[in-house]
Amino acid sequence: MARSDLARSAPPLPTPPVDPRSLRTVYRSLATGVTVVAADSDTGPAGVAVNSFTSVSLEPPLALFCISRTSRTWPAIEAAGRFAVSFLTGEQEHVARRFCASGVDRFAGQHLVTAVTGAPILATAAGYVDCLLARVVEGGDHHVVLGRVVAAGVLHEARPLVFAHGDYHSG
């Protein structure tokens, strides 16, 4: 049987309406890396845990992340015009949870190094990319943030922290 015949013989998948709750259920089966996006703002370091980071292009070097339009941290990162992304290790679930929490000093007790752009990097992270803010696109209830990578490095060889099925796991 030819490949095109196989495609034609498969029954179509049901197409129920896509609602946020059912879409979230589907997305739970996709493992994503966990990162901390941080910038040096006028009031000190500002950072937030993000699991929507991805590389976009090697030439030119581009990366992106998505952040909720209601984020209280995003305005400080956007105003800085530069940010660093620290890739968390499988042992850093507590760091991810801290950078998701509100009303706490997220950087308390963290060992930091300074990126080329001046953005803070978690010294205990597996690696990092340092970016200049290139573009922000509105994407529904999130901002899609594109950064031009100006520096990158591996800090520690370690298994990554991943998020899947509503919880953290060591990848």
Side-chain angles (χ1 to χ4, degrees), residues 4-44:
S4 60
D5 292 335
L6 285 174
R8 286 189 200 123
S9 67
L13 292 172
T15 55
V18 178
D19 66 272
R21 187 175 181 163
S22 63
L23 192 55
R24 181 182 294 259
T25 299
V26 170
Y27 285 157
R28 288 171 54 100
S29 63
L30 174 66
T32 60
V34 183
T35 65
V36 168
V37 176
D40 186 31
S41 75
D42 291 340
T43 59

Side-chain angles (χ1 to χ4, degrees), residues 38-112:
D40 186 31
S41 75
D42 291 340
T43 59
V48 63
V50 170
N51 72 332
S52 60
F53 174 84
T54 191
S55 67
V56 174
S57 169
L58 297 176
E59 192 59 43
L62 299 170
L64 74 74
F65 69 93
C66 300
I67 190 165
S68 174
R69 292 174 59 146
T70 61
S71 168
R72 288 187 232 144
T73 306
W74 167 242
I77 295 170
E78 183 179 34
R82 58 200 79 228
F83 57 89
V85 182
S86 298
F87 306 154
L88 299 185
T89 72
E91 304 298 317
Q92 292 184 300
E93 177 180 337
H94 65 286
V95 175
R97 290 188 185 282
R98 182 170 196 84
F99 276 85
C100 288
S102 58
V104 300
D105 178 357
R106 294 175 176 171
F107 289 90
Q110 299 298 320
H111 298 288
L112 303 174

